[in-house]
């Protein structure tokens, strides 16, 4: 038998290849185990009582019609068509070949008065309040705060009293979120100079409500790892509520502006888990998820959900209220709090691999601030509503809509799916119409 001897260099190369192949296989196996264990932990994390009975959301498909493009005031304007019953699933990207489309997750339809992203943030938070026999809730926000209105409505539905500190002066005519907050909660207007020290005024107001026999807690103090990860058995919850009804002492909970706490991330992660089902967006195809960013909490929740569930998703958040550095700092803070509450080695490893960055923060195409609502932007919201039946507002969701339309044109079907999370905000239009009358007085049909 003839034996062919290989040069030493070839033997060494072959050995290196074998070692490399073994390492790749080992790493692949380790990653698979890591992914499985992380998904299992997330499932345990989400096994709790929720404010929303089911996490479902309607999904619409918006077609960007190239033939309907025209020029207006030097910028390109697109026409849109809405399909409210699209075919979804893992092959949806391939079916869209040649047609720019994006999908709209209609969280604006979750509740008639509560913004979609606010409902998601409160999804895990509200049961925590009930579990801990809270009687009163104190929070703060701007004069037209969607967060304050959401807390007032949601707490009133559960028999809890809310005390809302709103920045600025009381409007001459109550409308939009201010009207809803006033109808459902107890309002105090705070001078802008004092509102800068919001933690101090929240604490002082909460202690006044609690009185000498009551107690005050911040929501962040409540979030011990055991309470964060494990749900309270229903029988224990009923017992706690019965006990609280037999005492006159108040238990007051302070919630940060915008519900920017780790507990608010859980409801958003629950939404990601729902959307990643095989008959919806699935777990295989790439998804670019677009969202408008106020505090940035919703965007971070989306990014964490995708990371922990091992999804090939990218979260793009259009910034409104801060710089990239400010939003990145908020992202790091929320992730650190989430990591501390979870105490999960698997999630720690994933977050370290992502370098604590789970969101692509995006500058707005054009400045859009509360003091500079342009008439053209209001008209664009009107045009989208008339073409699709979907109402976006000129402050938040219009910017996210524009980015979704842009990305749907730039990428082919092979690049995956573009999806917009419609967070709501439409009640804010009433407040804008009151404050910026000239931009709303002469709207004409398109």
């Amino acid at each position: 038998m003839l034996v062919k001897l290989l040069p030493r260099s070839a033997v060494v190369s072959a050995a290196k290849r074998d070692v490399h192949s073994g390492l790749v296989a080992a790493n692949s196996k380790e990653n698979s185990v890591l992914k499985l264990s992380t998904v299992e932990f997330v499932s345990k994390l989400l096994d709790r009582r929720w404010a929303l009975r089911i996490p479902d959301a309607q999904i619409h498909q918006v077609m960007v019609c190239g033939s309907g493009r025209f020029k207006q005031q030097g910028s390109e304007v697109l026409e849109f068509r809405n399909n409210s019953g699209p075919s979804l699933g893992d092959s949806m990207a391939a079916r869209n070949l040649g047609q720019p489309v994006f999908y709209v997750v209609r969280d604006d339809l979750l509740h008639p008065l509560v913004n979609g992203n606010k409902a998601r943030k409160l999804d895990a938070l509200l049961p925590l309040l009930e579990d801990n026999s809270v009687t009163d809730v104190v929070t703060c926000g701007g004069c037209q705060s969607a967060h304050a209105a959401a807390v007032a409505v949601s707490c009133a539905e559960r028999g809890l009293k809310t005390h809302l500190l709103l920045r600025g002066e009381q409007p001459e005519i109550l409308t939009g979120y201010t009207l809803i907050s006033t109808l459902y909660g107890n309002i105090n207007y705070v001078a802008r100079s004092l509102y800068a020290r919001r933690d101090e005024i929240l604490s002082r107001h909460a202690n006044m409500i609690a009185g000498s026999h009551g107690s005050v807690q911040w929501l962040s103090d409540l979030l011990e790892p055991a309470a964060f990860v494990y749900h309270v058995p229903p029988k224990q919850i009923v017992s706690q509520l019965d006990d609280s009804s037999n005492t006159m002492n108040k238990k007051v909970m302070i919630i940060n502006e915008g519900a920017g706490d780790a507990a608010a991330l859980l409801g958003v992660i629950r939404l990601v888990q729902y959307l990643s089902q095989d008959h919806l967006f699935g777990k295989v195809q790439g998804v670019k998820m677009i969202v408008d960013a106020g505090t940035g909490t919703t965007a971070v929740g989306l990014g964490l959900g995708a990371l922990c569930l091992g999804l090939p998703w990218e979260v793009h958040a259009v910034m409104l209220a801060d710089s990239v550095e400010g939003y990145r700092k908020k992202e790091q803070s929320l992730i650190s709090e989430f990591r501390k509450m979870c105490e999960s080695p698997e999630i720690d490893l994933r977050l370290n691999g992502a370098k604590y960055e789970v969101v692509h923060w995006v500058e707005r195409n054009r400045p859009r601030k509360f003091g500079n609502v342009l008439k053209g932007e209001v008209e664009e919201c009107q045009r989208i509503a008339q073409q699709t039946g979907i109402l976006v507002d000129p402050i938040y969701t219009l910017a996210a809509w524009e980015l979704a339309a842009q990305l749907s044109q730039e990428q082919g079907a092979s690049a995956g799916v573009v999806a917009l999370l419609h967070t709501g905000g439409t009640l804010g239009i009433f407040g804008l119409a009151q404050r910026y009358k000239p931009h709303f007085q002469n709207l004409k049909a398109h």
Side-chain angles (χ1 to χ4, degrees):
M1 180 178 64
L2 295 176
V3 179
K4 184 176 181 180
L5 298 177
L6 296 175
R8 184 178 183 278
S9 59
V11 173
V12 172
S13 297
K16 286 183 177 180
R17 283 197 303 272
D18 291 342
V19 171
H20 176 71
S21 298
L23 288 174
V24 169
N27 288 337
S28 177
K29 183 178 180 179
E30 182 180 347
N31 289 337
S32 298
V33 172
L34 173 62
K35 180 177 179 180
L36 180 61
S37 58
T38 307
V39 170
E40 288 175 343
F41 179 82
V42 171
S43 296
K44 180 177 69 173
L45 190 66
L46 300 183
D47 182 17
R48 60 176 62 238
R49 281 207 314 135
W50 299 97
L52 296 173
R53 186 176 60 84
I54 55 176
D56 301 24
Q58 293 187 36
I59 300 176
H60 291 190
Q61 180 192 59
V62 174
M63 290 158 280
V64 183
C65 302
S67 60
R69 297 175 190 172
F70 58 93
K71 298 287 182 178
Q72 181 180 8
Q73 298 177 350
S75 61
E76 187 177 51
V77 178
L78 303 170
E79 288 189 359
F80 304 101
R81 296 291 180 268
N82 182 19
N83 174 14
S84 61
S87 177
L88 304 173
D90 285 335
S91 61
M92 57 194 291
R95 291 194 296 270
N96 297 331
L97 187 62
Q99 173 68 58
V101 303
F102 61 93
Y103 294 83
V104 183
V105 180
R106 299 296 307 274
D107 261 14
D108 57 314
L109 303 178
L110 280 181
H111 191 286
L113 299 176
V114 178
N115 268 25
N117 65 322
K118 310 305 179 189
R120 298 292 181 185
K121 290 179 182 180
L122 296 173
D123 199 7
L125 191 153
L126 290 170
L128 283 176
L129 301 182
E130 294 174 322
D131 296 351
N132 286 272
S133 305
V134 170
T135 61
D136 296 72
V137 173
V138 178
T139 192
C140 63
C143 184
Q144 284 288 348
S145 170
H147 159 71
V151 171
V153 172
S154 301
C155 286
E157 290 175 343
R158 290 160 177 80
L160 306 178
K161 293 183 179 179
T162 51
H163 310 267
L164 311 173
L165 304 179
L166 301 185
R167 181 184 64 246
E169 304 75 31
Q170 178 175 335
E172 182 180 351
I173 300 174
L174 298 180
T175 187
Y177 291 115
T178 307
L179 175 58
I180 297 302
S181 296
T182 306
L183 291 173
Y184 283 84
N186 301 287
I187 303 295
N188 280 274
Y189 292 91
V190 179
R192 299 173 195 279
S193 57
L194 294 177
Y195 191 84
R197 305 193 304 273
R198 57 182 66 84
D199 285 358
E200 178 185 331
I201 62 172
L202 281 170
S203 181
R204 185 188 310 153
H205 197 70
N207 279 285
M208 182 187 70
I209 293 163
S212 58
H213 300 292
S215 63
V216 175
Q217 270 189 299
W218 289 79
L219 178 64
S220 55
D221 297 334
L222 183 67
L223 297 179
E224 294 297 328
F228 188 76
V229 176
Y230 300 101
H231 69 286
V232 179
K235 289 184 180 179
Q236 186 177 344
I237 294 165
V238 174
S239 174
Q240 289 175 339
L241 292 177
D242 288 344
D243 290 342
S244 68
S245 65
N246 294 326
T247 177
M248 297 301 293
N249 295 342
K250 291 188 175 183
K251 189 169 185 180
V252 183
M253 187 66 64
I254 303 175
I255 299 177
N256 283 325
E257 182 179 29
D261 295 286
L265 300 172
L266 294 175
V268 185
I269 295 173
R270 185 190 186 202
L271 170 64
V272 173
Q273 184 188 54
Y274 165 76
L275 293 175
S276 67
Q277 293 179 93
D278 292 340
H279 68 285
L280 298 177
F281 291 160
K283 302 175 182 63
V284 178
Q285 62 189 347
V287 175
K288 284 184 169 63
M289 183 66 72
I290 317 300
V291 67
D292 54 88
T295 64
T297 307
T298 302
V300 173
L302 291 171
L304 277 174
L307 179 78
C308 293
L309 293 171
L311 303 173
W313 293 14
E314 296 177 5
V315 178
H316 298 255
V318 186
M319 301 178 294
L320 172 74
D322 207 340
S323 62
V324 174
E325 292 75 19
Y327 275 106
R328 187 65 70 194
K329 184 177 179 181
K330 176 67 173 178
E331 178 183 16
Q332 303 291 322
S333 175
L334 278 172
I335 289 176
S336 294
E337 186 181 354
F338 179 81
R339 180 179 181 178
K340 179 182 177 182
M341 294 301 100
C342 286
E343 293 186 337
S344 165
E346 296 88 358
I347 288 182
D348 283 349
L349 190 56
R350 280 192 174 275
L351 290 174
N352 286 333
K355 298 180 180 179
Y356 274 41
E357 295 182 0
V358 297
V359 178
H360 299 276
W361 301 103
V362 182
E363 296 279 0
R364 290 172 178 265
N365 288 334
R366 44 185 171 178
R368 184 176 290 111
K369 298 181 180 179
F370 288 106
N372 293 317
V373 180
L374 303 179
K375 183 174 184 293
E377 293 168 341
V378 176
E379 291 177 339
E380 181 68 3
C381 292
Q382 179 193 28
R383 197 172 66 84
I384 292 170
Q386 291 179 351
Q387 290 179 358
T388 67
I390 300 174
L391 184 59
V392 297
D393 78 283
I395 296 294
Y396 288 99
T397 44
L398 176 60
W401 181 284
E402 290 174 340
L403 179 60
Q406 175 189 331
L407 291 178
S408 69
Q409 291 180 290
E410 290 177 354
Q411 68 179 55
S414 60
V417 170
V418 176
L420 165 67
L421 177 60
H422 192 330
T423 54
T426 49
L427 273 179
I429 290 180
F430 295 94
L432 292 174
Q434 180 189 42
R435 186 173 179 182
Y436 305 106
K437 295 179 183 178
H439 299 320
F440 289 83
Q441 285 175 332
N442 299 312
L443 290 175
K444 299 178 182 179
H446 291 274

